[in-house]
Amino acid sequence: VQQLEESGGGSAQAGGSLRLSCTASIITYPYSMYCMAWFRQALGKEREGVAAIYADGSITNYADSVKGRFTISRDNAKNTLYLRMNSLKPEDTAMYYCAADPVMCGSLVHYEYNSWGQGTQVTVSS
């Protein structure tokens, strides 16, 4: 994937919800062949994996910190990845990035993905 564009970030109160989207374009293979994931990076911290989804959407993987609150999904007909974030906490504040790779399905390790978006900022206030 040569271009990933995130949207949907913004500000929310603790306990609130946001939905992020990531649209892929200029892709080498059909979008349905790509493993996709969401990562985040807070100021001064390392990039961490949030959620990953298999190419066909059948299997998902979540970081412990977001299990039960965040849901990753994809619409392969629209070349779009989503992240529904509920029960937001101030510690969820970060820049959120989507990533793609044709091989590393389910991984939450950032260096295993070779295509990245520019990110969308999420800020949660208490």
Side-chain angles (χ1 to χ4, degrees):
V1 178
Q2 295 189 31
Q3 185 168 332
L4 294 169
E5 184 172 359
E6 302 94 339
S7 61
S11 298
Q13 295 283 329
S17 299
L18 286 172
R19 190 180 80 157
L20 306 182
S21 299
C22 170
T23 301
S25 59
I26 317 177
I27 57 178
T28 303
Y29 305 108
Y31 179 74
S32 59
M33 293 180 65
Y34 285 92
C35 312
M36 301 294 298
W38 287 98
F39 289 79
R40 67 185 181 187
Q41 188 165 15
L43 200 61
K45 295 188 176 181
E46 293 187 358
R47 190 167 297 191
E48 64 171 345
V50 175
I53 188 167
Y54 273 51
D56 63 359
S58 61
I59 299 174
T60 56
N61 185 28
Y62 295 92
D64 288 343
S65 59
V66 305
K67 279 181 182 176
R69 300 189 299 121
F70 290 10
T71 302
I72 188 172
S73 62
R74 63 192 294 165
D75 185 337
N76 286 344
K78 295 182 179 180
N79 290 3
T80 302
L81 176 74
Y82 302 100
L83 184 68
R84 178 67 178 181
M85 304 185 294
N86 294 330
S87 303
L88 283 163
K89 303 175 180 180
E91 50 263 45
D92 294 320
T93 295
M95 185 72 79
Y96 283 72
Y97 301 88
C98 65
D101 191 87
V103 177
M104 301 307 299
C105 282
S107 173
L108 294 178
V109 179
H110 66 87
Y111 56 75
E112 292 181 340
Y113 288 82
N114 61 18
S115 298
W116 291 85
Q118 294 298 307
T120 185
Q121 178 68 37
V122 171
T123 303
V124 183
S125 57
S126 57

